[in-house]
Amino acid sequence: MARIVMKFGGTSMAGIERIRSVAARVKREVAAGNEVAVVVSAMAGETDRLVNFCREASSLYDPREYDVVVASGEQITSGLLAIALQAIGVPARSWLGWQLPIQTTNAHASARIDEINADALITAMASGEVAVIPGFQGVAEDNRISTLGRGGSDTSAVAVAAAVKADRCDIYTDVDGVYTTDPRIVPRARKLSRVTYEEMLELASVGAKVLQTRSVGLAMKEGVRIQVLSSFDDPNNSATADTLPGTMIVGDDEIGDDMERQLITGIAHDKNEAKITLIEVPDKPGAVARIFGPLADININVDMIIQNIAHNSGSTDVTFTVPQAELARALDALAKAKEDIGYASLVHDSKVAKISVVGVGMRSHAGVASAMFKALADRGINIQAISTSEIKVSVLIEEDYTELAVRVLHTAYGLDAEDVVE
Ligand code: ASP
Ligand code: MG
């Protein structure tokens, strides 16, 4: 017997038929004697629809009211799953974010979980009742509904798993594991049976979309074992999750000196970035702080930053990227700070993509970045910005070249599977 948290993404919850098969899968784990909590996403596409309503209402929406709107998608699916479970004889009830509560910070629309009171959950689970929890939502210090940022239900699931001290957190998604890259772009992508938290952190943060970045960081901090599994395997398969082949996300120690491991673990892409360039920023101390301060104040995450060579005039151009969804707010904040920063003009471009290569092997090998630049140059793909970390190299390119760049790099680093019939 184990205590497990099962998390189902939007595709698994899209419609009553799918919710029924989720219920059947949950029942399987309960029948095997496990204590189960389920964390659910909104139906696929629903959160986008709700976000669009907010944007339509005003591009400068109040994030507190945005949370009221977008948290509703998960309220619907959690109630529906509880109903579907009850209908097949599995005792179940929903627990909304404010009911547990899942206490978060006041950073509406991108709140962080401070604490989960798991007492009621543990009691319910021990009594054989399945706890169904809407992902993505909590209650902020101001006592209003909060949400955790897009993709936040993964973080909810890991936080619940940590709070109830679960043996495992199984994340069911529309892919059956973590791949070397997006298999829809590269049919020869390979499934990885194990990935380290750190690699997954980089892959998630650069758009591998399997898991929300913060969920991986939290799992690493709390030591939660995550297993990524397909929600679409054979519905007649009666195997429980502990026997299914997914990807386990584990600590460095579990990977050890695996000789078979490639230098590069995976290649990710992210089209949800927007590039902003401030032209003729005064080239003097404090200038950069005056640009990024106002953005930090409104919780906008700046990613790649380049400061160009100074013009003769004593000014310089500064280019950086922000999430596309935050572009309007960023432009507004920069316009308000124009005089203070002292830039001459501003240009922005959303038709960019970030491509990243990731692997712990990079720590001990040189030449990864230059191989990347050469492979892209050979195909005539221009690099607009670069950023690196210990185990990652990212470049910003024109969005139209995303697929080509991913394919070229997958081959260049020797990641293509040999035995795939395309
Ligand atoms: N429904 C939310 C979203 O689409 C949260 C999630 O699914 O993880 O971002
Ligand atoms: Mg997701």
Side-chain angles (χ1 to χ4, degrees):
M1 193 205 88
R3 181 178 288 170
I4 54 179
V5 171
M6 306 170 76
K7 187 262 167 176
F8 292 90
T11 329
S12 318
M13 301 305 290
I16 300 301
E17 263 326 297
R18 291 191 182 171
I19 291 177
R20 279 208 188 98
S21 45
V22 166
R25 187 182 289 269
V26 172
K27 184 175 187 174
R28 210 191 290 164
E29 299 298 332
V30 173
N34 296 314
E35 288 180 12
V36 180
V38 189
V39 174
V40 296
S41 285
M43 294 190 192
E46 180 65 5
T47 310
D48 285 341
R49 197 174 74 96
L50 298 171
V51 169
N52 282 333
F53 281 141
C54 295
R55 288 205 193 125
E56 242 180 82
S58 165
S59 62
L60 303 175
Y61 50 74
D62 176 351
R64 290 164 298 195
E65 301 304 346
Y66 162 97
D67 278 349
V68 172
V69 177
V70 302
S72 66
E74 275 77 5
Q75 172 160 344
I76 293 168
T77 47
S78 54
L80 289 174
L81 180 58
I83 293 172
L85 283 165
Q86 291 166 1
I88 54 171
V90 179
R93 70 153 283 187
S94 62
W95 297 89
L96 299 183
W98 57 270
Q99 289 173 317
L100 285 174
I102 295 178
Q103 198 68 54
T104 76
T105 60
N106 269 341
H108 283 277
S110 56
R112 295 187 163 266
I113 297 176
D114 278 334
E115 205 189 334
I116 297 183
N117 186 335
D119 297 347
L121 270 190
I122 291 172
T123 310
M125 289 167 77
S127 76
E129 187 181 74
V130 172
V132 185
I133 301 156
F136 187 46
Q137 63 171 254
V139 57
E141 294 154 77
D142 59 10
N143 208 28
R144 301 178 67 162
I145 291 180
S146 55
T147 65
L148 308 179
R150 297 305 307 272
S153 50
D154 295 332
T155 299
S156 307
V158 171
V160 168
V164 302
K165 302 194 168 48
D167 297 293
R168 228 177 43 231
C169 180
D170 289 339
I171 308 252
Y172 290 86
T173 177
D174 51 359
V175 294
D176 59 355
V178 179
Y179 278 73
T180 48
T181 195
D182 186 342
R184 284 165 302 190
I185 297 181
V186 182
R188 285 173 170 274
R190 288 181 293 112
K191 185 160 82 184
L192 299 157
S193 58
R194 283 180 309 170
V195 183
T196 68
Y197 289 120
E198 256 184 309
E199 287 172 328
M200 196 58 222
L201 215 43
E202 295 286 12
L203 288 169
S205 71
V206 292
K209 282 183 219 83
V210 181
L211 291 174
Q212 196 201 30
T213 317
R214 276 164 52 198
S215 69
V216 183
L218 187 63
M220 179 161 145
K221 183 167 148 261
E222 301 284 341
V224 173
R225 290 171 66 83
I226 298 183
Q227 183 174 217
V228 178
L229 293 161
S230 168
S231 48
F232 292 121
D233 79 349
D234 180 2
N236 298 318
N237 182 354
S238 61
T240 48
D242 50 352
T243 63
L244 293 175
T247 299
M248 283 298 305
I249 303 173
V250 297
D252 259 351
D253 46 323
E254 280 193 53
I255 299 260
D257 297 326
D258 188 345
M259 298 289 287
E260 300 287 298
R261 266 178 85 79
Q262 306 277 349
L263 176 56
I264 296 302
T265 303
I267 297 169
H269 68 280
D270 183 0
K271 295 182 179 178
N272 297 315
E273 295 270 309
K275 183 178 77 166
I276 297 176
T277 300
L278 298 185
I279 296 165
E280 289 183 29
V281 177
D283 190 20
K284 60 176 192 230
V288 172
R290 274 195 285 277
I291 298 173
F292 297 116
L295 298 177
D297 289 346
I298 53 170
N299 283 310
I300 293 181
N301 233 340
V302 173
D303 180 32
M304 305 173 110
I305 302 174
I306 41 174
Q307 180 171 342
N308 299 332
I309 303 165
H311 302 291
N312 288 336
S313 58
S315 64
T316 177
D317 298 344
V318 178
T319 297
F320 53 92
T321 61
V322 297
Q324 211 166 295
E326 308 280 13
L327 182 62
R329 293 202 307 129
L331 293 177
D332 182 61
L334 291 165
K336 286 188 182 132
K338 183 164 192 243
E339 224 162 275
D340 188 41
I341 302 168
Y343 62 90
S345 58
L346 178 157
V347 288
H348 58 90
D349 181 4
S350 296
K351 287 196 56 69
V352 290
K354 183 168 66 168
I355 313 290
S356 306
V357 300
V358 173
V360 285
M362 250 181 242
R363 284 203 186 107
S364 46
H365 286 80
V368 170
S370 63
M372 181 181 200
F373 305 152
K374 180 167 189 316
L376 295 175
D378 286 349
R379 293 305 186 103
I381 300 171
N382 189 36
I383 297 172
Q384 305 180 8
I386 301 167
S387 69
T388 64
S389 80
E390 217 190 347
I391 65 164
K392 178 188 78 172
V393 184
S394 305
V395 295
L396 195 71
I397 63 168
E398 197 182 316
E399 188 180 288
D400 289 346
Y401 291 115
T402 308
E403 285 76 14
L404 177 64
V406 170
R407 276 192 213 110
V408 163
L409 294 171
H410 201 265
T411 305
Y413 289 110
L415 293 176
D416 293 345
E418 275 152 26
D419 51 356
V420 173
V421 186
E422 283 178 41

